[in-house]
Amino acid sequence: MVVPTYNEAENLPWIVGRLRTAEPTVDVLVVDDGSPDGTGDVADKLAVDDPQVSVVHRTAKAGLGAAYRHGFSVALAAGYDVIGEMDADGSHQPEQLHRLLDALADADLVIGSRWIPGGSVVNWPLARKALSVGGNVYARLALGIPVRDVTAGYRLFRRTTLEAIDLGTVESSGYCFQTDLAWRTSRAGLRIVEVPIEFVERVRGESKMDRRVATESLRRITAWGFTQRTRQVRDVLSKVTRASANGQARDRRTS
């Protein structure tokens, strides 16, 4: 599991301990973006004490997507066939990881979903729930993705999935990274399965989500959707033109 961190010194030992207890066979890769609170040092100590924990140190905070891309690349180079992602703040409960692992038998990408039957969120105000649901509906309609929680960050990818979507060409660095990879997986014709999870709002530390991050996601999704719809219209017009030309050719041969 790739776990990106920035100022999560208080949460990291807690969440890694829960993960190693819940799924003892799962390795953990912490990707720290130069946290000033010493998260990198905490991660190094965890790695010294547990050979199934490793750490990647990045020099600057470059966004969630950039951290995940780096972590995925390291995991792919190490030969892992299944690569996952989860937050370090406890929002994604390690005790529910088995649901994702079980679903991977029939999927190329498994998403722990808040917005399918059985899924839920804890300690979110109504306004934030409405924003998340609305954002997911917008992304689903704009991009044509058959996923209810396209922004979710609790996931398992097959190695072959990350290779098929050409991870090296992914440019999104913020939270829209999650939407980007789900969209690419869908466009590649791969199977996406959602399983219900209980998402728990962090109780320690500060959320990294802000208005700027949300605005970037909306802007990128809108641009992607416009590009996709334009391509679809162009393809339809091209087919109509070819069909018309073929019909005229048949008419000439008949006459």
Side-chain angles (χ1 to χ4, degrees):
M1 292 296 288
V2 177
V3 182
T5 57
Y6 185 78
N7 287 348
E8 297 288 0
E10 186 178 9
N11 283 321
L12 188 62
W14 170 63
I15 198 64
V16 170
R18 287 173 60 189
L19 177 55
R20 295 287 294 115
T21 298
E23 298 292 344
T25 63
V26 172
D27 295 340
V28 182
L29 174 62
V30 178
V31 181
D32 184 63
D33 269 6
S35 299
D37 74 340
T39 300
D41 294 334
V42 172
D44 284 338
K45 185 177 186 309
L46 293 173
V48 168
D49 295 338
D50 187 342
Q52 286 181 248
V53 177
S54 56
V55 186
V56 170
H57 293 279
R58 293 162 54 83
T59 58
K61 184 181 180 184
L64 182 71
Y68 271 132
R69 289 201 310 271
H70 194 156
F72 289 171
S73 296
V74 170
L76 287 169
Y80 286 94
D81 291 323
V82 176
I83 300 169
E85 58 174 80
M86 67 181 296
D87 291 345
D89 61 9
S91 298
H92 303 139
Q93 301 180 69
E95 296 79 12
Q96 296 182 351
L97 179 56
H98 67 92
R99 301 181 185 181
L100 282 70
L101 290 166
D102 291 344
L104 192 64
D106 299 310
D108 299 295
L109 164 60
V110 179
I111 297 176
S113 177
R114 299 160 292 184
W115 307 125
I116 63 172
S120 62
V121 295
V122 177
N123 297 330
W124 267 17
L126 182 59
R128 187 169 179 186
K129 289 182 182 179
L131 180 63
S132 179
V133 171
N136 274 286
V137 170
Y138 179 78
R140 188 164 69 249
L141 294 176
L143 303 176
I145 308 175
V147 175
R148 297 290 298 276
D149 198 352
V150 73
T151 61
Y154 201 5
R155 302 182 174 195
L156 292 179
F157 294 88
R158 290 191 180 277
R159 175 190 191 89
T160 50
T161 303
L162 293 175
E163 292 172 341
I165 64 177
D166 196 2
L167 191 63
T169 66
V170 176
E171 296 180 353
S172 50
S173 59
Y175 279 78
C176 61
F177 172 82
Q178 309 292 13
T179 302
D180 193 355
L181 262 61
W183 183 40
R184 287 169 178 258
T185 302
S186 178
R187 283 191 299 164
L190 301 176
R191 178 170 169 75
I192 302 173
V193 173
E194 291 182 272
V195 297
I197 62 163
E198 180 186 62
F199 180 95
V200 181
E201 175 64 3
R202 69 161 62 233
V203 295
R204 294 177 290 192
E206 295 182 358
S207 172
K208 311 304 187 295
M209 175 65 75
D210 57 27
R211 184 182 297 275
R212 180 186 58 80
V213 170
T215 300
E216 182 217 0
S217 296
L218 179 61
R219 178 178 57 80
R220 283 185 175 270
I221 291 169
T222 299
W224 293 336
F226 179 78
T227 299
Q228 173 157 298
R229 298 309 180 192
T230 300
R231 184 184 301 115
Q232 290 172 341
V233 170
R234 189 166 53 243
D235 290 344
V236 169
L237 291 176
S238 178
K239 290 178 181 178
V240 170
T241 300
R242 287 198 301 271
S244 177
N246 291 336
Q248 291 174 3
R250 285 195 300 270
D251 290 343
R252 286 195 295 271
R253 287 196 299 269
T254 301
S255 60

